[in-house]
Amino acid sequence: MPDFVLKRHLPNLDVPHVHLGEYPTPVEHLPALGDVWLKREDLSSPLYGGNKIRTLETLFADAIARGFKRVWTLGAYGSNQAVACILHAGRVGLQPGAVLFPQRATPTAAENLRVSLGECDEVVALRSLLTFPWHWLKLKRSREIYLVPPGGAVPLGALGHVGAALELAEQVATGAMPAPRHIVLAIGSTCTTAGLLVGLPLARQLGLWPGELPRVHAVRVTPWPVTARFQVLRLARATACYLAQLGGPTVKVDPKLLVLNTRHFGWGYARITQGGLAAAKHFAELMAPPLDTTYAAKSGAALLEMRGLAPFSQKTGSDPLPGPVLYWCTKSSAPLPAVDDAKLAAAPGHIRRWLKRADRHDSLNR
Ligand SMILES: Cc1ncc(COP(=O)(O)O)c(C=O)c1O
């Protein structure tokens, strides 16, 4: 059984963990963009990868340790976390379920909703966002169901990404890539970014990180206040506190490391942006990992802008951000399972109509 990177460096840490992913996720140079590197979190599992796998490893382990048999999550129709939860839960003996709220109908989201509905009998796809808080409260109070909150944005969930920062530090130390000066990633629930904001200073404290720490450019894809600077720092500080409670060292979160980039949000969550589409196209031409229009394409657009390469940016032509720049690939690139059409045909009318609307988008507009 491969070990958990956090436990490898902090053997006395009392943290629950089950293995779902395959680590370390590779780091790769993307020379076409200059001094740009990729952290291939998209490859965290061949079943379904992406950034949420690390979050689920600690949360599932907690569910098991506390005697739960069922694990449910919450999110939008196109939630990657719901897909990850549904596809991975059975591997560790948990029965998954999800409550999903309506969002903008896009091909990317429809692909995920089809998998969630096709692979799991316990998906409640709400007709309206209005009833979502009630479902959330009900799940929170359940004694039979372990609730993975939206994005897994709790200190225990963020610990997985503290581990990812240590893993990156190991890769830098062994020469797999030079120490990045900037990290660029999409931010929604804040879980991944908060974990990195704890893990990077921890890596330096442990003597794993050479020199200055990188700045973390978190590209906002969800509205304020879901994603706000104070929320990111609050979760990062709570995660640092929690780490100390579990027997780890005291880590100080440095707000200066966080750059919250709000330029690529567009008209709302899951709204497709021209910059995002251009980034997805550019990545595809470079045979780089696929970018989804909800999350990764927006952070990809920010990356291109920072490199002075974005076609839809006023900043095009300005000096590129000095490298090395590390792009955190958060969207799974694993092929999705085929979906049983009969199951979808039996879905409620509002779902079938929503899927039809999503399908009307040009297949390029992913
Ligand atoms: C593909 C992808 N990228 C980025 C994010 C944002 O991560 P976080 O919610 O940890 O901020 C998510 C969240 O679901 C995601 O699915």
Side-chain angles (χ1 to χ4, degrees):
M1 170 70 66
D3 59 348
F4 180 28
V5 61
L6 256 187
K7 293 275 277 184
R8 191 157 67 241
H9 293 283
L10 303 169
N12 297 329
L13 201 70
D14 184 16
V15 57
H17 183 258
V18 290
H19 254 282
L20 300 175
E22 297 189 0
Y23 307 113
T25 57
V27 286
E28 287 170 7
H29 191 197
L30 189 59
L33 297 186
D35 202 359
V36 169
W37 296 73
L38 305 172
K39 176 67 171 157
R40 301 289 310 267
E41 292 287 277
D42 58 300
L43 298 177
S44 58
S45 164
L47 178 61
Y48 191 75
N51 56 332
K52 289 299 156 190
I53 305 308
R54 294 188 196 261
T55 311
L56 295 179
E57 289 183 339
T58 46
L59 295 175
F60 281 3
D62 187 42
I64 294 164
R66 290 166 55 186
F68 285 92
K69 298 269 179 287
R70 300 169 72 194
V71 62
W72 279 53
T73 194
L74 299 160
Y77 279 4
S79 165
N80 290 307
Q81 175 166 293
V83 175
C85 184
I86 286 166
L87 294 182
H88 285 278
R91 296 175 59 208
V92 291
L94 293 166
Q95 294 161 20
V99 174
L100 306 177
F101 59 82
Q103 63 158 100
R104 190 149 189 90
T106 63
T108 276
E111 203 169 62
N112 278 3
L113 180 59
R114 285 195 166 93
V115 172
S116 294
L117 293 167
E119 295 287 319
C120 180
D121 291 330
E122 300 215 71
V123 172
V124 180
L126 302 176
R127 196 182 272 275
S128 152
L129 185 58
L130 290 176
T131 54
F132 183 65
W134 181 82
H135 283 274
W136 190 338
L137 202 68
K138 200 170 126 199
L139 282 174
K140 226 173 158 177
R141 290 194 174 152
S142 169
R143 285 160 186 260
E144 281 155 32
I145 295 175
Y146 183 91
L147 176 62
V148 173
V154 288
L156 182 58
L159 280 185
H161 303 287
V162 176
L166 297 190
E167 183 181 293
L168 172 65
E170 287 177 342
Q171 289 169 314
V172 168
T174 55
M177 73 165 288
R181 289 173 73 173
H182 302 276
I183 293 177
V184 182
L185 79 165
I187 182 170
S189 75
T190 78
C191 180
T192 311
T193 303
L196 294 180
L197 289 174
V198 177
L200 291 166
L202 173 63
R204 192 164 58 185
Q205 251 170 266
L206 295 172
L208 292 169
W209 194 275
E212 222 179 295
L213 290 176
R215 300 190 87 191
V216 178
H217 299 255
V219 182
R220 186 163 71 98
V221 306
T222 38
W224 190 93
V226 177
T227 313
R229 198 178 165 80
F230 76 90
Q231 298 277 34
V232 191
L233 293 173
R234 187 160 70 181
L235 180 58
R237 288 181 181 125
T239 304
C241 253
Y242 188 58
L243 184 73
Q245 277 168 25
L246 295 177
T250 304
V251 177
K252 199 167 174 323
V253 173
D254 180 0
K256 286 200 293 296
L257 292 187
L258 172 66
V259 183
L260 190 61
N261 180 332
T262 59
R263 294 171 51 80
H264 297 273
F265 179 56
W267 290 101
Y269 175 70
R271 293 270 189 152
I272 294 171
T273 60
Q274 290 303 313
L277 283 182
K281 190 161 168 269
H282 201 55
F283 265 55
E285 283 161 3
L286 299 177
M287 313 281 271
L291 305 182
D292 69 302
T293 53
T294 307
Y295 292 95
K298 290 183 177 178
S299 53
L303 171 75
L304 293 184
E305 185 179 62
M306 287 170 194
R307 301 303 295 165
L309 296 168
F312 293 96
S313 157
Q314 293 158 346
K315 282 197 177 170
T316 305
S318 60
D319 284 347
L321 205 66
V325 177
L326 179 62
Y327 177 75
W328 210 260
C329 303
T330 52
K331 170 70 180 174
S332 172
S333 55
L336 289 171
V339 176
D340 178 1
D341 285 339
K343 233 174 167 179
L344 294 178
H350 69 280
I351 299 299
R352 293 199 311 274
R353 283 192 295 279
W354 186 91
L355 287 170
K356 238 186 217 154
R357 263 205 321 280
D359 288 344
R360 265 186 242 130
H361 276 263
D362 179 341
S363 65
L364 240 185
N365 288 355
R366 299 185 143 247

